[in-house]
Amino acid sequence: MCGKLNAKISDILKVFLVFIVSLFPAVLCAQQRNVKFTHLTNLDGLSQSSVEAFLKDKHGYMWFGTQEGLNKYDGYKFTVYRYKASNGDVFFGGENEFNAFNPATLPENKVIPPVVITDFQLFNKQVVVGSKNSPLKEQISEIKEITLSYDHSVITFEYTALNFTASSQNQYAYTLLGFDKGWNFVGSARKATYTNLDPGEYIFEVKATNNDGLWNNEGTALKLIILPPFWMTWWFRVAFFLFIIAIIYAVYHFRIQSIEAKRLLLEQQVQARTKEVLLQAQNLKHVNQELLKTNADLDSFVYSASHDMRAPLTSILGLVNLIKTKVNQNEVLELLGLMEVCVHGLDTFIKDIIHFSRNSRTGIEYGIIDFDEVISCSINQLRFMEEAQKINITYAVYGNDEFTSDKKRIAVIINNLLSNAIKYCDPEKPNPQINIKVTKHEGFARLEIKDNGLGISPENSTKIFDMFYRAAAKKTGAGLGLYIVQEILTKLGGSIKVHSIHGQETVFIVDIPQYKEAPVLIN
């Protein structure tokens, strides 16, 4: 009987295709042609709705294997075959045989496996025992404590259970007391990595099971100490606290002394100021009268000087026209033509001064500034000044962006500064020169005029922008050029600075802001 049963089961298992469908609660049968599915369950005679395997034999029968027996389906009904041994044996089929055993007789591994830490890594690299700056003086499995620096930001522990029976089935769990909130159950993984731990003391614990799931709950442990940086140590905090207290005391002491000194100084200033106020009250009326007289004298001077200068210029223009009609030499005519250009330029410049004096409170006429044109015109107008022919005048304009400002006022600034540089050149130097540089920046333009002339003495450098002031008495001029430049820059919102070494060089630096709104262009 047993032989026949074994043969039947062997024949069945030879052709049985194992297919795991435990996630499905029923069997779906499909007909190939019309793709029609029928849902079969234990209500249709199936021994159990959870099917472990199925196949179709050469006679067309469908065979389904469940935990409650083998089922044959002929398309209409199920026939169930169950094979159970009375002593509890379990049968498993193979390719040409089957195996029978009783699960109750299998031995269980009851040995609790020891757990050891086998390796320690910093930044995913193994730490060599006893090497330079190594935190390990002995093997990691032999020590109970390890001390690390705060900058050891990536640390890794490797561990294992000393169970070599089906060791791949050993299970592990670890925790870092002081950091983790509980155990980390990681299956068969044998590595734990932590990053960026705060300075302090921790305890790394690891436990494991054997292949039958028996836990060694004591496991093993290693104390981990991470040293803080010096600025987080108690002695540094105490020193810093004492330093702050000392600073506060010093500031307080200095403040008290400063307040006392200011109080005494204030009393002295009040007394001195009281005397000054009394004196100023007596002189106030006289000062106001002097100011009114000075303003009237200034206007009278500007108008008188302008008209007096235009009269001889008009005569020169008449003489030029007469010479042109009577002299036929080409070179003379060319020189006279240049003279006429210069005279017209000076006449225009004087008109601009008059216009500036009369309209000091009028608005600014904005337009696009061609610095090459303005500088070239100023050089041509001033080329026949005394000593001008001996001076090498160069200029350069940097930047391609358009610059918008008041063209006439810019011309007055350049003309006055260039005239001033020519006037105060040093004719005794072998290579007198004037360098003009314009640099267009975002939002402003910088004009630099540098000469190697007489320079300005320190006592005069703070006075050169005053009205009527002349640095050298022997030089001609009314002393208004630099004053007018400063007034124009104030109107435009710009600034001017001067750097000079007496007897060597002088540099005027002018910053002119870009007009930011949409300008009304003036031709």
Side-chain angles (χ1 to χ4, degrees), residues 86-157:
S86 59
N87 61 354
D89 287 349
V90 178
F91 296 92
F92 287 93
E95 183 177 358
N96 295 312
E97 60 183 11
F98 69 92
N99 302 306
F101 71 96
N102 193 323
T105 63
L106 291 178
E108 182 180 354
N109 186 355
K110 295 184 179 181
V111 177
I112 298 177
V115 182
V116 294
I117 299 174
T118 59
D119 193 19
F120 179 69
Q121 299 177 1
L122 289 176
F123 302 103
N124 299 315
K125 293 184 179 180
Q126 185 180 32
V127 176
V128 179
V129 177
S131 63
K132 184 179 180 180
N133 299 325
S134 173
L136 294 180
K137 305 305 179 185
E138 300 180 59
Q139 294 294 332
I140 188 68
S141 60
E142 301 296 327
I143 63 175
K144 297 298 181 181
E145 180 180 300
I146 185 171
T147 301
L148 301 177
S149 173
Y150 71 95
D151 56 357
H152 291 151
S153 56
V154 181
I155 62 175
T156 300
F157 297 97

Side-chain angles (χ1 to χ4, degrees), residues 207-481:
K207 61 183 181 179
T209 72
N210 62 13
N211 57 298
D212 280 333
L214 184 61
W215 281 98
N216 178 355
N217 288 316
E218 292 184 4
T220 188
L222 176 67
K223 186 176 182 180
L224 176 64
I225 300 175
I226 298 181
L227 300 177
F230 74 91
W231 60 85
M232 294 181 65
T233 57
W234 67 267
W235 57 266
F236 179 83
R237 293 178 178 178
V238 171
F240 184 74
F241 175 76
L242 295 177
F243 176 75
I244 294 298
I245 294 298
I247 291 295
I248 293 174
Y249 175 78
V251 171
Y252 172 78
H253 184 69
F254 174 78
R255 183 63 177 164
I256 293 298
Q257 290 185 334
S258 177
I259 291 174
E260 182 65 20
K262 287 182 178 179
R263 186 185 66 79
L264 296 175
L265 180 61
L266 184 60
E267 290 180 357
Q268 297 174 359
Q269 290 178 343
V270 168
Q271 295 176 0
R273 188 61 179 166
T274 301
K275 294 179 181 179
E276 291 179 2
V277 170
L278 293 176
L279 182 61
Q280 289 176 356
Q282 297 173 0
N283 296 330
L284 181 59
K285 184 176 180 180
H286 177 71
V287 170
N288 288 334
Q289 291 175 349
E290 288 294 328
L291 288 174
L292 293 174
K293 184 177 181 300
T294 300
N295 288 334
D297 291 343
L298 173 61
D299 290 337
S300 176
F301 172 80
V302 171
Y303 288 115
S304 298
S306 300
H307 289 292
D308 289 344
M309 290 178 69
R310 291 194 66 191
L313 290 176
T314 303
S315 300
I316 292 174
L317 288 174
L319 292 173
V320 169
N321 290 329
L322 289 175
I323 293 173
K324 283 183 177 181
T325 59
K326 294 181 179 181
V327 179
N328 294 323
Q329 297 180 8
N330 293 332
E331 293 182 356
V332 174
L333 287 175
E334 183 179 357
L335 292 174
L336 291 176
L338 293 174
M339 184 184 297
E340 183 179 12
V341 171
C342 294
V343 171
H344 279 297
L346 290 174
D347 185 61
T348 303
F349 176 64
I350 294 172
K351 290 179 183 178
D352 290 339
I353 294 178
I354 296 173
H355 180 74
F356 174 76
S357 178
R358 290 177 178 174
N359 300 282
S360 59
R361 297 181 181 273
T362 60
I364 300 172
E365 297 179 344
Y366 290 101
I368 296 175
I369 307 300
D370 186 346
F371 282 102
D372 288 281
E373 178 185 355
V374 175
I375 296 172
S376 178
C377 289
S378 294
I379 293 174
N380 286 332
Q381 290 176 5
L382 301 173
R383 64 186 298 184
F384 292 106
M385 285 184 63
E386 184 180 359
E387 307 293 346
Q389 297 292 336
K390 301 178 181 179
I391 301 173
N392 180 25
I393 302 176
T394 61
Y395 71 90
V397 179
Y398 301 97
N400 298 321
D401 296 337
E402 289 186 347
F403 183 78
T404 305
S405 187
D406 190 313
K407 184 175 181 179
K408 292 182 179 180
R409 283 180 166 87
I410 298 298
V412 171
I413 292 172
I414 295 175
N415 211 356
N416 281 3
L417 292 177
L418 181 58
S419 173
N420 190 76
I422 295 174
K423 187 186 304 180
Y424 289 95
C425 71
D426 188 351
E428 297 181 1
K429 289 185 178 180
N431 57 339
Q433 56 183 339
I434 299 173
N435 301 318
I436 305 172
K437 183 174 73 172
V438 176
T439 307
K440 299 177 186 177
H441 300 277
E442 183 177 357
F444 74 99
R446 171 162 290 183
L447 168 67
E448 298 180 34
I449 298 183
K450 179 179 179 181
D451 66 77
N452 61 347
L454 299 173
I456 303 171
S457 62
E459 61 271 14
N460 290 329
S461 61
T462 58
K463 304 176 183 178
I464 57 175
F465 296 105
D466 294 344
M467 186 185 301
F468 302 123
Y469 185 80
R470 289 185 294 173
K474 66 178 182 179
K475 297 295 181 181
T476 59
L480 285 173

